Amino acid sequence: MDPNSLSSSQRQALDQLQVITNGGDAEVAISVLDSVSWDVQRAADIIFDQNPSAPLSISRPSETTTTHVENFDIDDSEQGLLGNEPGARGFRRTNLYPSSPLLIVARPLRFILAILAFPFHILRTLFRLLRIPLPQLPLTLSGLTLYYRAPSAPRPELKTDPRSAAERWVRSLEEETGAICLSRVRSRSGDGASTGVGPSSSSLTSRPAKQGEAAADDCDGILPDFFVGSYEEFARTCAKETDARIGCVILVSEEHDDVPEFKRSTLTDPTFVRLMQDNNFLVWGGDIRDRDAWTSQKLQATTYPFVAFVALQPRRSPSSRAGTTQATLTILSRHQGPSIPAASAPTSAKTLVSHLNDQLLPRVQPFLTRIRAQAVERENLKALESAQREHERAIRAEQDRAFAESQRKDKDRIEARIAEDRRVAEEARRREEAERIEREEAERLQKEKEQWETKRMIWRRWGRRTLLPREPRPTLAEPARGKTIRIGVRMPDGRRGVRFFGEGDSLTAVYAFVDTLFIPDGKEFSSDSDPAVPPEGAPSGEEGLVKAMYDAGRVGEDWWGFKLVLSYPRRDIIWETGKRIADVEGLKAGGQLVIEMVDVGAKAKAKGKAKDIGESKAGQQDEDDGYVTEESD
């Protein structure tokens, strides 16, 4: 029913019920109120006491002494425990002790109570953020006392994965009871390996005994082998039709006084533990303070300790056809309350063993056996059908293989011819591509060479004007330049040149003189039109020349394009910046120099080829695995 379509009286009843239940689910509250003709009193009885016909009263643990085992006719309706279903929704539990006459008087004032309780809700939220526990607070209105206690929420410090929470709970249970799980008793006594208790191996039942820990015979008792995992994983394991098992869910709350005795007497009872072990029960437990145990609300526990048995049962649906069995996970029975006295308490070991032997096992085991047999039969049928399909597939594959072989031969002949044509075309394309690349490379080199020659010609003419000093005059004494020496030069084309220098002149002046011999004759190359300013904004003098060399990446003979060689005895005159002629061995008294041209482009190609060869050798060394074969010998 849509909450917006409620009348004013229905809306008021809904608000009163939500105040009593501290919120709750609106849809569930509407469905409960609608089932009791919108009577808030009866709705509260249904929610809190689960017994609308009985009057509200305060029940004490000492008075709850009768055995309460719910019948299958009631519990089998709680079907479908896997997944998030509407049945999983519930209310927060609140203890309500009303007086019927005063309740009638207080009903109109409950809306005012909700407004007055708003600051308390703010304080409660603040306390939760600060992790401050809330005491039990009474709210009194016209003789109606509503005791509110903060619900047992999951502990923030234990927000770990369900597997870790389950291991921690079982370990604390062993420490509290002094008992150990049954599989650990077997592992200590050497009676085979421990039984699997979870979706994967766990450190609980397989961990070795610590130093000083009591032996199996000295412990206070044995505990069931608990499933280590989440509640959803436990339910899915119980619902596996190939290995259908009865599941036992144990929920406790440390806030209840009956829990310690239940742990010591019921969970460690040898008869109860052996009965579940012999019948292959799957046991899962937890404290409702842990998140996974708190969220398992489909079991509808109202007090603790709580024990429920679940297993696959036939789905009771009108649409189910005869001869077909649709199994679903079903709550078989619920047991909650104290475990003493042992003869009649709802969660005592004697009561649970009697219930299992007399009612649950005789009814459930035959159906589970049939379910397992049907699952095995289905698996065998699937395997047989799969084998048959595989045989048919093999026959078709053999036929297809013979047909494909003939097609392959024809295809190979056609593809060989096509591959040959492609190879010829590819070779022609590669030749054309290589010629194009070679042509483009030659054009690029020629262009770079022309640009370089143009640039060098500018620097030659600037050097002729700036770097080449005038010849010493015999009539003019120049002590700074030192003794006059004569240097002759023979060009590669046979031309000769002679010039006088001072022994204090720089070696750069000699190179600049030889460099000027490459300036063509003509009016446009006249010395009168030589630039007086260094090209490209370089500094003046020899410093500008050196900077231009390094900027161009060509130093020494790579810049000049030639090298000077002393004719006899043969000796290379290597250019160095700032070096004087008097410091050059063989030129102190002058001499005859031979000019040898340097092919800068050929040197660059040789360097690139040497680099490619080095990389190729390095690649071969990387591919070499270090073993010597007969072929390598």
Side-chain angles (χ1 to χ4, degrees), residues 39-59:
D39 189 335
V40 179
Q41 174 65 37
R42 295 176 61 190
D45 293 343
I46 292 175
I47 292 173
F48 295 117
D49 295 338
Q50 301 295 327
N51 186 13
S53 61
L56 293 176
S57 61
I58 303 175
S59 62

PDB file of all heavy atoms in Angstrom, residues 39-59:
ATOM      1  N   ASP A  39      -5.153  -1.466  14.291  1.00  0.00           N
ATOM      2  CA  ASP A  39      -5.104  -1.392  15.749  1.00  0.00           C
ATOM      3  C   ASP A  39      -3.630  -1.358  16.166  1.00  0.00           C
ATOM      4  O   ASP A  39      -2.899  -2.341  15.999  1.00  0.00           O
ATOM      5  CB  ASP A  39      -5.811  -2.607  16.359  1.00  0.00           C
ATOM      6  CG  ASP A  39      -5.969  -2.461  17.871  1.00  0.00           C
ATOM      7  OD1 ASP A  39      -5.176  -1.722  18.488  1.00  0.00           O
ATOM      8  OD2 ASP A  39      -6.885  -3.089  18.433  1.00  0.00           O
ATOM      9  N   VAL A  40      -3.193  -0.230  16.714  1.00  0.00           N
ATOM     10  CA  VAL A  40      -1.781  -0.059  17.054  1.00  0.00           C
ATOM     11  C   VAL A  40      -1.379  -1.034  18.143  1.00  0.00           C
ATOM     12  O   VAL A  40      -0.266  -1.590  18.145  1.00  0.00           O
ATOM     13  CB  VAL A  40      -1.513   1.400  17.479  1.00  0.00           C
ATOM     14  CG1 VAL A  40      -0.044   1.589  17.869  1.00  0.00           C
ATOM     15  CG2 VAL A  40      -1.882   2.358  16.367  1.00  0.00           C
ATOM     16  N   GLN A  41      -2.261  -1.287  19.147  1.00  0.00           N
ATOM     17  CA  GLN A  41      -1.935  -2.193  20.252  1.00  0.00           C
ATOM     18  C   GLN A  41      -1.651  -3.603  19.741  1.00  0.00           C
ATOM     19  O   GLN A  41      -0.649  -4.219  20.086  1.00  0.00           O
ATOM     20  CB  GLN A  41      -3.101  -2.210  21.254  1.00  0.00           C
ATOM     21  CG  GLN A  41      -2.936  -3.224  22.380  1.00  0.00           C
ATOM     22  CD  GLN A  41      -1.765  -2.895  23.278  1.00  0.00           C
ATOM     23  OE1 GLN A  41      -1.515  -1.728  23.544  1.00  0.00           O
ATOM     24  NE2 GLN A  41      -1.040  -3.897  23.726  1.00  0.00           N
ATOM     25  N   ARG A  42      -2.551  -4.111  18.905  1.00  0.00           N
ATOM     26  CA  ARG A  42      -2.371  -5.463  18.383  1.00  0.00           C
ATOM     27  C   ARG A  42      -1.161  -5.547  17.450  1.00  0.00           C
ATOM     28  O   ARG A  42      -0.454  -6.548  17.428  1.00  0.00           O
ATOM     29  CB  ARG A  42      -3.634  -5.904  17.652  1.00  0.00           C
ATOM     30  CG  ARG A  42      -4.854  -6.052  18.556  1.00  0.00           C
ATOM     31  CD  ARG A  42      -6.099  -6.399  17.756  1.00  0.00           C
ATOM     32  NE  ARG A  42      -5.934  -7.656  17.051  1.00  0.00           N
ATOM     33  CZ  ARG A  42      -6.796  -8.104  16.127  1.00  0.00           C
ATOM     34  NH1 ARG A  42      -7.860  -7.374  15.819  1.00  0.00           N
ATOM     35  NH2 ARG A  42      -6.583  -9.254  15.527  1.00  0.00           N
ATOM     36  N   ALA A  43      -0.918  -4.497  16.686  1.00  0.00           N
ATOM     37  CA  ALA A  43       0.261  -4.482  15.815  1.00  0.00           C
ATOM     38  C   ALA A  43       1.548  -4.532  16.624  1.00  0.00           C
ATOM     39  O   ALA A  43       2.507  -5.231  16.268  1.00  0.00           O
ATOM     40  CB  ALA A  43       0.248  -3.240  14.923  1.00  0.00           C
ATOM     41  N   ALA A  44       1.614  -3.779  17.743  1.00  0.00           N
ATOM     42  CA  ALA A  44       2.796  -3.815  18.601  1.00  0.00           C
ATOM     43  C   ALA A  44       2.965  -5.198  19.221  1.00  0.00           C
ATOM     44  O   ALA A  44       4.100  -5.686  19.367  1.00  0.00           O
ATOM     45  CB  ALA A  44       2.695  -2.745  19.687  1.00  0.00           C
ATOM     46  N   ASP A  45       1.830  -5.853  19.593  1.00  0.00           N
ATOM     47  CA  ASP A  45       1.921  -7.206  20.135  1.00  0.00           C
ATOM     48  C   ASP A  45       2.528  -8.162  19.110  1.00  0.00           C
ATOM     49  O   ASP A  45       3.365  -9.011  19.432  1.00  0.00           O
ATOM     50  CB  ASP A  45       0.521  -7.701  20.549  1.00  0.00           C
ATOM     51  CG  ASP A  45      -0.027  -6.914  21.730  1.00  0.00           C
ATOM     52  OD1 ASP A  45       0.782  -6.243  22.409  1.00  0.00           O
ATOM     53  OD2 ASP A  45      -1.245  -6.948  21.953  1.00  0.00           O
ATOM     54  N   ILE A  46       2.096  -8.036  17.859  1.00  0.00           N
ATOM     55  CA  ILE A  46       2.605  -8.929  16.813  1.00  0.00           C
ATOM     56  C   ILE A  46       4.097  -8.712  16.590  1.00  0.00           C
ATOM     57  O   ILE A  46       4.878  -9.651  16.438  1.00  0.00           O
ATOM     58  CB  ILE A  46       1.824  -8.703  15.498  1.00  0.00           C
ATOM     59  CG1 ILE A  46       0.370  -9.175  15.669  1.00  0.00           C
ATOM     60  CG2 ILE A  46       2.492  -9.425  14.332  1.00  0.00           C
ATOM     61  CD1 ILE A  46      -0.500  -8.889  14.468  1.00  0.00           C
ATOM     62  N   ILE A  47       4.505  -7.443  16.600  1.00  0.00           N
ATOM     63  CA  ILE A  47       5.910  -7.132  16.287  1.00  0.00           C
ATOM     64  C   ILE A  47       6.835  -7.583  17.396  1.00  0.00           C
ATOM     65  O   ILE A  47       7.855  -8.238  17.155  1.00  0.00           O
ATOM     66  CB  ILE A  47       6.070  -5.624  16.012  1.00  0.00           C
ATOM     67  CG1 ILE A  47       5.354  -5.260  14.707  1.00  0.00           C
ATOM     68  CG2 ILE A  47       7.543  -5.230  15.938  1.00  0.00           C
ATOM     69  CD1 ILE A  47       5.304  -3.782  14.437  1.00  0.00           C
ATOM     70  N   PHE A  48       6.479  -7.282  18.667  1.00  0.00           N
ATOM     71  CA  PHE A  48       7.418  -7.508  19.758  1.00  0.00           C
ATOM     72  C   PHE A  48       7.270  -8.881  20.402  1.00  0.00           C
ATOM     73  O   PHE A  48       8.256  -9.505  20.763  1.00  0.00           O
ATOM     74  CB  PHE A  48       7.263  -6.421  20.821  1.00  0.00           C
ATOM     75  CG  PHE A  48       7.644  -5.059  20.310  1.00  0.00           C
ATOM     76  CD1 PHE A  48       6.707  -4.049  20.237  1.00  0.00           C
ATOM     77  CD2 PHE A  48       8.932  -4.805  19.900  1.00  0.00           C
ATOM     78  CE1 PHE A  48       7.061  -2.809  19.765  1.00  0.00           C
ATOM     79  CE2 PHE A  48       9.287  -3.558  19.433  1.00  0.00           C
ATOM     80  CZ  PHE A  48       8.351  -2.552  19.362  1.00  0.00           C
ATOM     81  N   ASP A  49       6.035  -9.350  20.559  1.00  0.00           N
ATOM     82  CA  ASP A  49       5.831 -10.615  21.273  1.00  0.00           C
ATOM     83  C   ASP A  49       5.612 -11.789  20.354  1.00  0.00           C
ATOM     84  O   ASP A  49       5.706 -12.945  20.773  1.00  0.00           O
ATOM     85  CB  ASP A  49       4.632 -10.497  22.219  1.00  0.00           C
ATOM     86  CG  ASP A  49       4.903  -9.486  23.322  1.00  0.00           C
ATOM     87  OD1 ASP A  49       6.087  -9.221  23.598  1.00  0.00           O
ATOM     88  OD2 ASP A  49       3.917  -8.980  23.879  1.00  0.00           O
ATOM     89  N   GLN A  50       5.301 -11.510  19.041  1.00  0.00           N
ATOM     90  CA  GLN A  50       4.993 -12.594  18.097  1.00  0.00           C
ATOM     91  C   GLN A  50       3.863 -13.478  18.615  1.00  0.00           C
ATOM     92  O   GLN A  50       3.793 -14.655  18.338  1.00  0.00           O
ATOM     93  CB  GLN A  50       6.244 -13.443  17.826  1.00  0.00           C
ATOM     94  CG  GLN A  50       7.404 -12.671  17.260  1.00  0.00           C
ATOM     95  CD  GLN A  50       7.104 -12.122  15.882  1.00  0.00           C
ATOM     96  OE1 GLN A  50       6.374 -12.751  15.116  1.00  0.00           O
ATOM     97  NE2 GLN A  50       7.624 -10.964  15.565  1.00  0.00           N
ATOM     98  N   ASN A  51       2.949 -12.938  19.468  1.00  0.00           N
ATOM     99  CA  ASN A  51       1.844 -13.712  20.042  1.00  0.00           C
ATOM    100  C   ASN A  51       0.688 -12.755  20.279  1.00  0.00           C
ATOM    101  O   ASN A  51       0.483 -12.269  21.376  1.00  0.00           O
ATOM    102  CB  ASN A  51       2.282 -14.373  21.353  1.00  0.00           C
ATOM    103  CG  ASN A  51       1.203 -15.296  21.899  1.00  0.00           C
ATOM    104  OD1 ASN A  51       0.247 -15.615  21.185  1.00  0.00           O
ATOM    105  ND2 ASN A  51       1.338 -15.698  23.147  1.00  0.00           N
ATOM    106  N   PRO A  52      -0.089 -12.414  19.258  1.00  0.00           N
ATOM    107  CA  PRO A  52      -1.133 -11.397  19.415  1.00  0.00           C
ATOM    108  C   PRO A  52      -2.275 -11.792  20.326  1.00  0.00           C
ATOM    109  O   PRO A  52      -2.989 -10.951  20.833  1.00  0.00           O
ATOM    110  CB  PRO A  52      -1.611 -11.196  17.979  1.00  0.00           C
ATOM    111  CG  PRO A  52      -1.258 -12.459  17.275  1.00  0.00           C
ATOM    112  CD  PRO A  52      -0.032 -12.959  17.902  1.00  0.00           C
ATOM    113  N   SER A  53      -2.458 -13.052  20.557  1.00  0.00           N
ATOM    114  CA  SER A  53      -3.590 -13.456  21.381  1.00  0.00           C
ATOM    115  C   SER A  53      -3.293 -13.355  22.866  1.00  0.00           C
ATOM    116  O   SER A  53      -4.202 -13.329  23.683  1.00  0.00           O
ATOM    117  CB  SER A  53      -4.002 -14.891  21.032  1.00  0.00           C
ATOM    118  OG  SER A  53      -2.922 -15.775  21.292  1.00  0.00           O
ATOM    119  N   ALA A  54      -2.010 -13.343  23.248  1.00  0.00           N
ATOM    120  CA  ALA A  54      -1.659 -13.319  24.665  1.00  0.00           C
ATOM    121  C   ALA A  54      -1.508 -11.896  25.136  1.00  0.00           C
ATOM    122  O   ALA A  54      -1.063 -11.029  24.398  1.00  0.00           O
ATOM    123  CB  ALA A  54      -0.362 -14.094  24.897  1.00  0.00           C
ATOM    124  N   PRO A  55      -1.867 -11.589  26.394  1.00  0.00           N
ATOM    125  CA  PRO A  55      -1.698 -10.229  26.906  1.00  0.00           C
ATOM    126  C   PRO A  55      -0.227  -9.933  27.115  1.00  0.00           C
ATOM    127  O   PRO A  55       0.591 -10.828  27.307  1.00  0.00           O
ATOM    128  CB  PRO A  55      -2.442 -10.250  28.248  1.00  0.00           C
ATOM    129  CG  PRO A  55      -2.419 -11.690  28.651  1.00  0.00           C
ATOM    130  CD  PRO A  55      -2.491 -12.479  27.397  1.00  0.00           C
ATOM    131  N   LEU A  56       0.109  -8.631  27.082  1.00  0.00           N
ATOM    132  CA  LEU A  56       1.490  -8.212  27.280  1.00  0.00           C
ATOM    133  C   LEU A  56       1.872  -8.410  28.733  1.00  0.00           C
ATOM    134  O   LEU A  56       1.137  -8.017  29.635  1.00  0.00           O
ATOM    135  CB  LEU A  56       1.665  -6.729  26.906  1.00  0.00           C
ATOM    136  CG  LEU A  56       1.493  -6.403  25.434  1.00  0.00           C
ATOM    137  CD1 LEU A  56       1.586  -4.901  25.245  1.00  0.00           C
ATOM    138  CD2 LEU A  56       2.516  -7.127  24.605  1.00  0.00           C
ATOM    139  N   SER A  57       3.013  -9.012  28.960  1.00  0.00           N
ATOM    140  CA  SER A  57       3.478  -9.241  30.318  1.00  0.00           C
ATOM    141  C   SER A  57       4.980  -9.285  30.307  1.00  0.00           C
ATOM    142  O   SER A  57       5.602  -9.480  29.273  1.00  0.00           O
ATOM    143  CB  SER A  57       2.917 -10.555  30.878  1.00  0.00           C
ATOM    144  OG  SER A  57       3.348 -11.643  30.085  1.00  0.00           O
ATOM    145  N   ILE A  58       5.568  -9.104  31.489  1.00  0.00           N
ATOM    146  CA  ILE A  58       7.016  -9.152  31.630  1.00  0.00           C
ATOM    147  C   ILE A  58       7.420 -10.588  31.871  1.00  0.00           C
ATOM    148  O   ILE A  58       6.986 -11.218  32.836  1.00  0.00           O
ATOM    149  CB  ILE A  58       7.482  -8.261  32.795  1.00  0.00           C
ATOM    150  CG1 ILE A  58       7.007  -6.822  32.576  1.00  0.00           C
ATOM    151  CG2 ILE A  58       8.959  -8.317  32.981  1.00  0.00           C
ATOM    152  CD1 ILE A  58       7.324  -5.916  33.715  1.00  0.00           C
ATOM    153  N   SER A  59       8.235 -11.132  30.973  1.00  0.00           N
ATOM    154  CA  SER A  59       8.688 -12.526  31.100  1.00  0.00           C
ATOM    155  C   SER A  59      10.103 -12.529  31.620  1.00  0.00           C
ATOM    156  O   SER A  59      10.941 -11.731  31.206  1.00  0.00           O
ATOM    157  CB  SER A  59       8.612 -13.235  29.737  1.00  0.00           C
ATOM    158  OG  SER A  59       9.455 -12.588  28.837  1.00  0.00           O
TER     159      SER A  59
END
